[in-house]
Structures are given as structure tokens and as C-alpha cells.
Amino acid sequence: MGIDSVAVIAAITMLILLLSGVPIAYSLGFTAVVLGVVAFGGLSLDKIGWTTYHLLYNQSWTPLPMFTLMACVIAQTRIGEDLYRSARNWLAAIPGGIVAASIAGQGVLAAALGASAPALITVGKVAEPELKKFGYDMGFSVGAILCGGVLGPLIPPSAIMVIYAVVANVSLGRLLMAGILPGILLACMLIGVAVVKCARNPALGGPAEKVPFKIKIKSLRNVWAVVLIMISILGSIYFGIATPTEAAAVGSVVLLIISIVAYKLRFKGLMTALTEAALLNAVLMFTIIGANLFSYVIGSSSLAEMLMGFVSNAPFAPIFIVVILMLVLLCLGFFLDGITIMLLTVPIIVPVITGLGFDPIWLGVLYVVNMEIGLITPPMAVNFFLARNIFNVKTRDLAFGMLPFLFTLIIFLFIVLSFPELATWLPNTMAGR
Amino acid sequence: MFKAVNRIVNFLSHYTSMLAGFLILIMAIVTTYGVIMRYVFQSPEYYSVEISLMFMVWSFVLAAAEVEKRDQHIKVDILSQLMPEKGKYFLFNIFTPIAGLIFAGTITWRSYVNAIYSLQIGEVSATVVAVPLFPVKIVVSIGYGLLCLVLLVRLVKGLISLAGGFQNINGEDEMVTPNENV
């Protein structure tokens, strides 16, 4: 059997297994092992044997377990709740204040967490009773908070960005910097939409209550921990003092000390955080290893070259190819998990897009936003169902409630698409360029 | 007999995943130490990088079995929602462990061969410290081996239940159902 036909069979088998609910890592790994042996015989067994070691014995990956460690430590403390409360105290008096505070809380929390689901859980837990207390429309409010989850991986540090940076072979430090400005812009856009909608229709959620200025100032006291970590991580990367690995390591050690001293994290909580971090990290690594084995079967065929030839001879302006790519990725996001999409498409897409003269860092930011939209659009929408279960709202209410914010996200995607400088300006001013 | 094996496998995967968490913590501490030595004491050391690379590999393979035991894998289950109960049962408790065993079993076997070869030729890392690579590689094989044991336990459970006419089909025992973690 020719290698091209093996590659086609591999792709189809893998997709059937994956969509049936076989764990993604096994769908990829099993297909690669079986069809690798069919195509290359015993040679492929050697590759399968050394992949885990060769892939992971690599400094590019080391920020990943540390970012997951930070997320798991924060989940064991009250840091997230405190963040939400101070945002709430400042924003409670404006229309839709509780929703705005939840988005702002997620934004700041994102700077220490690096993933959307934990931020959603942390903020959701404390925001839910307040939303009910002040009579907010739940579908609308949860929809806003759900879309605010996109800020998690966009504002550094970000586990997803580590994966993109390694697979696309770009500088992680630059990619992390590239997420900052779009992240701030998106937070403002989402809060803006929530406030305007609530001001026009107070039934969605009016002003909650006036908080005395003294309490506002006092509640800022709880934010310093995260701000300190954020500055230490981003500052050291931006000024070229530390590599992302070193910054992540120092950040997680500082966070641990703060958690133990100020937030009374004790042995049991620490053990839970450590085990959870190891598991979360292993879940990602599993998929990465499966995808790496699978990509080598596909990569050995001429499918990628065919695609490249097709794209470079296409009769459109290069930017249209990026637009089409984004639309294809959005559609894939309805049915597939974001990390899988990234692992399987980035090795093929990035050379094509870079060949057209675009910055792979900018493409990385677009990928992250696109993937997160996939996480909230059913049928395959982990965060959507997570939010539905945490807040106990009806699927229909949530789907309609999130529409204005989903629309905002898509507009945001097109803004970043139209103005690449938004992503590339900050990394281009970095030290050591 | 089967229960004893089950208990030992659970015990091992629980503690190796905890160990994996500790390794991540040590990675963070050692790297921070390296940064402090370089900037505060102006005396760069060279082993913190080696340690974190070694622990990077170990922290994954040692947690792999527990991920399977807790069924925390990333999954997409659009098609399985349309399947009948028995089909779902077969897919999750018999086919999935077999697919996993073929994948993880091959890696266990080949990475073992790889590690032994590394020992025979006395392979060391291409850095100043020249770390022997055999221990790094053999743990890969051990981690995947443990994963195979967890998968085997799951397969045997599935087969026992299949032989008894799907007694545990509604998952009162420890059967894996698709949406357990969602």
C-alpha cells in the first residue's frame, strides 16, 4: 500500500475513533502504531519507542507543568474569590456591574492561571449567589462569563500558548507578550457590551449596590498577590531577564509562598494541588505524544505538500487564505477539541501562512481565540456545559444569552485579523530582539 | 486474586502520580535556585536545567496511569451519544482498553529496548554534566508499563461483566461511563 493511501486511511480511522469517544490520545496513538507498522514495518516501532523521551527531554516544554502547577495552587486557595470581590466592589454601582466584575475578575485571574476552565469555576462559584441576589438574568449573565473565559489563555501565562509555541517553533516569550494587548481589548469589549445592554434593558441586570470608597480601597489589598506574580513573570520575560521557564518557575514558587503565608495553604491542599497539576499536565502530554506519532504518518505522505501547492497557487489575496483558514478552524471547533485541532493543523498550516509572509506569532493569537470560541460553541463545548452545570441554567437560555458576547468574540477575531500590530507590536519592542 | 492485583495497581498509580506532582514542585524550586544563583550570587550553576529536563519526562510518565484510572482523558463523544447502551459499553470497556494497550504496550516494549541499549553503550546527555540517560529512559518504560496494568484491569473488568451478561451495565461498580468527568 502506498504511503498516501495509508495516510488517508489513518486520518479516517482516527476521526471515527475520536468522534466515538475513544480518548483522543488513544485514537491518535493507536492509529499511528497500527498504520505506522503497515506503512513502514519495524522501523516505525523504533520511532514509537523513543518519541516520549525525545519529545519531552526538551526545554521548550518545561513552562507547561509550572503553569499548570500555578493554576492548581490557585484553585486550592481563596485568591480567585478575593480577586472577584475586589472587582465587584469597584464595579457594583454601574448597570450590569456583577457581570462586568466577573469578566474583569476572570481577566486578572487569567494573568495567573493560564486556562479558561479553572477561571470559570473559580469566578462562577462566587458570582452565582450574587447574580441571583440582585436578580440578574441568568442566561445573559452566564453567557457573558462564559465568553469571558477566552481571556484565560489569551492573557499570559498560558498553557495553550506553550503548546502552540513548541509545535509552531516560535518564541514562547514573544507569543506570551503578543496576547497582552488583545486580551485587554477583549476584556474592555466584553465589559462594554454587558454594560450597554444592561443600561438599555435594566431587566437583564441593573446596578447592584453602592460600595463605600473606603471598602473599595480596602479590598484592593487582596489583589496585590496576583499583581506581584503577574509583574514578576511578564516583566522578567519582557526585559529578557529570564526565559519563560525561569519566569514560570519563579512565579510558581512566589505564588506558593504567598499561598502558604497569606492564604493558609496547608499540607493536604498542597498535595491535592501537586497531584492535580501532574494529572493536568499528563492529560495534555498524552494528547501531544499521540498527535506527534500521528503527524509522522501523515507528514511522511505528500498530503501536506499537496495542500501547500494548492494554497500557494490559489487565485486569492493571501489575507483571504487566513480568513478562510479561520472559518475552517471555527467550523472544526464545533466538533473537535481545540488542543487536538491545534496539534494536528499547526504543523501543516504554519509553514503555509509563514510562506505567505505573515507573522506566526500573530497567527498564534488568532489560533488561541479561535480555539476558545470552539470551547463555548456546542455540540463539542467543554466550557459551555461546564458553565451550564455550575450555574444550573437551561441550555437554551445559555445559548441565547451568550449570543451578543459570541458575536463580540467573532468581531474581536476579525479586529485582530485586520490589525496584526495589535498582537505583534509589544513583542517587537521586547529586549534582546 | 484479581481484587488483590486491582488494589496493588490502584495503590501504585496513586502514589506515582503524587510523586509526579512532587517532581514538578522540585523542578520549580531548582529552577528558581538556578535563577537566584545567577543573578544574586553571580555564580551560574549548570545542573538545574538537567534536573528539570529529567523531571519533565518523569512527571508525565509517572502520572499517566492515574490519568487512565480516573478517566480524565480529553474526549469527544458526538457519535457515541447515538449508540445503544450495549454498543457504548463495548466501546468504552472493551475496545478502548484494547486500543490503549496496543498503543501503550508498544511504547513500553520499545522504550524498554531503547533504555537497555542506552545502558549497554553507556549513553550520557550531550551537556557539561553528562547525565547517564539509562535511568531517564527506563522510567519511561516503567510509567507506560503501569499504564498497561491499569488498562488490563479495566479490560478484565469489562470482560467479566460481558460474560455475566452486562450485569454492571449501569455502572454501579467501577465501570467507566463516557460522561463521568464532564
Side-chain angles (χ1 to χ4, degrees):
Chain A
M1 214 182 331
I3 178 69
D4 283 356
S5 37
V6 171
V8 172
I9 295 171
I12 295 170
T13 316
M14 187 277 288
L15 276 175
I16 293 174
L17 292 180
L18 187 147
L19 291 173
S20 311
V22 174
I24 292 170
Y26 297 163
S27 310
L28 294 162
F30 169 74
T31 319
V33 168
V34 174
L35 288 164
V37 172
V38 171
F40 309 107
L43 271 178
S44 76
L45 291 174
D46 287 330
K47 153 85 184 163
I48 292 159
W50 51 251
T51 293
T52 305
Y53 163 78
H54 271 265
L55 201 64
L56 301 190
Y57 201 78
N58 176 346
Q59 258 206 305
S60 318
W61 286 120
T62 43
L64 193 60
M66 312 223 199
F67 286 161
T68 53
L69 177 63
M70 284 173 74
C72 294
V73 168
I74 288 183
Q76 290 296 319
T77 64
R78 293 172 55 87
I79 294 177
E81 289 175 47
D82 282 353
L83 270 175
Y84 164 76
R85 283 190 206 292
S86 56
R88 177 213 174 274
N89 285 344
W90 282 88
L91 298 170
I94 59 171
I98 305 290
V99 171
S102 305
I103 298 172
Q106 277 180 315
V108 185
L109 199 55
L113 270 177
S116 51
L120 197 64
I121 295 169
T122 315
V123 171
K125 225 166 40 187
V126 273
E128 195 214 355
E130 299 236 300
L131 290 170
K132 290 202 168 128
K133 183 177 158 196
F134 294 106
Y136 275 57
D137 181 286
M138 285 307 273
F140 170 81
S141 313
V142 179
I145 296 172
L146 179 61
C147 294
V150 177
L151 296 168
L154 195 55
I155 297 179
S158 164
I160 306 290
M161 283 188 175
V162 180
I163 298 176
Y164 179 89
V166 179
V167 181
N169 198 16
V170 296
S171 146
L172 174 63
R174 294 191 65 215
L175 184 60
L176 290 174
M177 291 301 136
I180 298 178
L181 287 182
I184 295 171
L185 173 70
L186 180 62
C188 295
M189 281 171 69
L190 288 172
I191 292 176
V193 171
V195 171
V196 169
K197 288 222 55 132
C198 288
R200 281 187 166 177
N201 179 6
L204 290 175
E209 58 182 354
K210 269 211 143 51
V211 178
F213 190 66
K214 221 171 154 184
I215 295 184
K216 282 185 187 170
I217 293 291
K218 212 175 152 192
S219 70
L220 280 183
R221 195 185 57 183
N222 297 323
V223 184
W224 65 270
V226 174
V227 174
L228 182 73
I229 296 161
M230 188 164 100
I231 293 175
S232 65
I233 291 184
L234 297 184
S236 56
I237 297 175
Y238 183 80
F239 292 106
I241 299 168
T243 62
T245 304
E246 292 167 343
V250 176
S252 47
V253 169
V254 172
L255 176 70
L256 251 155
I257 293 171
I258 293 171
S259 303
I260 291 168
V261 176
Y263 284 89
K264 304 202 165 47
L265 179 72
R266 290 297 170 258
F267 185 72
K268 207 177 154 209
L270 178 65
M271 288 314 296
T272 313
L274 289 179
T275 313
E276 290 290 318
L279 293 179
L280 204 60
N281 182 49
V283 166
L284 294 174
M285 283 303 168
F286 245 127
T287 315
I288 291 163
I289 288 169
N292 182 281
L293 289 174
F294 183 78
S295 302
Y296 112 94
V297 177
I298 297 286
S300 313
S301 70
S302 54
L303 294 187
E305 276 168 45
M306 267 154 59
L307 180 77
M308 198 109 116
F310 172 73
V311 169
S312 48
N313 294 325
F316 328 112
I319 189 74
F320 274 109
I321 290 172
V322 184
V323 174
I324 293 168
L325 170 69
M326 286 299 122
L327 293 175
V328 171
L329 289 178
L330 276 175
C331 294
L332 284 177
F334 289 137
F335 305 104
L336 289 178
D337 162 74
I339 291 174
T340 316
I341 298 178
M342 185 179 264
L343 287 168
L344 294 179
T345 57
V346 164
I348 304 170
I349 299 290
V350 169
V352 176
I353 300 296
T354 316
L356 293 173
F358 295 110
D359 191 337
I361 297 277
W362 167 67
L363 188 69
V365 175
L366 291 173
Y367 248 98
V368 170
V369 178
N370 213 316
M371 277 184 43
E372 288 294 314
I373 295 178
L375 281 178
I376 59 178
T377 44
M380 175 61 193
V382 179
N383 285 9
F384 181 90
F385 295 112
L386 187 68
R388 190 194 64 183
N389 295 347
I390 298 173
F391 292 93
N392 207 2
V393 284
K394 290 204 182 86
T395 307
R396 198 186 131 84
D397 290 350
L398 181 53
F400 278 106
M402 79 174 189
L403 275 183
F405 301 99
L406 187 61
F407 193 58
T408 313
L409 279 179
I410 292 174
I411 293 178
F412 169 75
L413 187 64
F414 277 89
I415 293 179
V416 181
L417 201 60
S418 320
F419 303 99
E421 295 80 14
L422 206 57
T424 55
W425 177 76
L426 198 59
N428 285 344
T429 61
M430 267 170 80
R433 240 187 69 74
Chain B
M1 166 68 185
F2 177 65
K3 275 193 177 155
V5 173
N6 190 9
R7 215 174 304 139
I8 294 170
V9 170
N10 283 354
F11 175 86
L12 285 176
S13 72
H14 177 73
Y15 283 101
T16 50
S17 68
M18 218 180 248
L19 175 63
F22 258 112
L23 294 181
I24 296 177
L25 177 67
I26 298 171
M27 257 168 91
I29 294 173
V30 167
T31 309
T32 307
Y33 167 79
V35 174
I36 294 174
M37 288 308 282
R38 193 168 71 223
Y39 285 107
V40 183
F41 298 103
Q42 310 284 326
S43 82
E45 45 71 54
Y46 36 77
Y47 40 84
S48 65
V49 172
E50 291 294 332
I51 291 176
S52 52
L53 285 178
M54 197 150 67
F55 285 10
M56 177 75 220
V57 180
W58 289 354
S59 68
F60 162 62
V61 291
L62 292 176
E66 187 72 4
V67 170
E68 171 59 37
K69 204 188 89 197
R70 297 194 189 184
D71 196 30
Q72 285 194 345
H73 289 287
I74 310 178
K75 291 180 201 162
V76 181
D77 51 2
I78 295 172
L79 293 184
S80 66
Q81 288 167 1
L82 310 172
M83 281 184 208
E85 281 300 311
K86 284 188 181 174
K88 243 190 250 181
Y89 179 87
F90 182 81
L91 185 68
F92 291 115
N93 294 303
I94 292 166
F95 180 76
T96 302
I98 292 176
L101 273 169
I102 291 174
F103 168 55
T106 313
I107 300 184
T108 310
W109 165 44
R110 295 312 298 195
S111 57
Y112 174 76
V113 171
N114 209 335
I116 295 299
Y117 178 70
S118 174
L119 181 68
Q120 281 165 352
I121 61 166
E123 191 186 9
V124 292
S125 68
T127 48
V128 192
V129 198
V131 185
L133 290 178
F134 169 71
V136 183
K137 292 186 170 183
I138 195 71
V139 175
V140 173
S141 185
I142 294 172
Y144 277 104
L146 192 56
L147 170 64
C148 286
L149 288 178
V150 175
L151 285 163
L152 209 58
V153 166
R154 187 169 150 195
L155 178 64
V156 172
K157 273 186 197 167
L159 288 174
I160 290 174
S161 173
L162 186 72
F166 295 111
Q167 271 169 359
N168 293 313
I169 196 161
N170 292 320
E172 53 198 76
D173 198 19
E174 293 161 45
M175 290 302 156
V176 178
T177 47
N179 288 322
E180 213 166 73
N181 289 297
V182 175

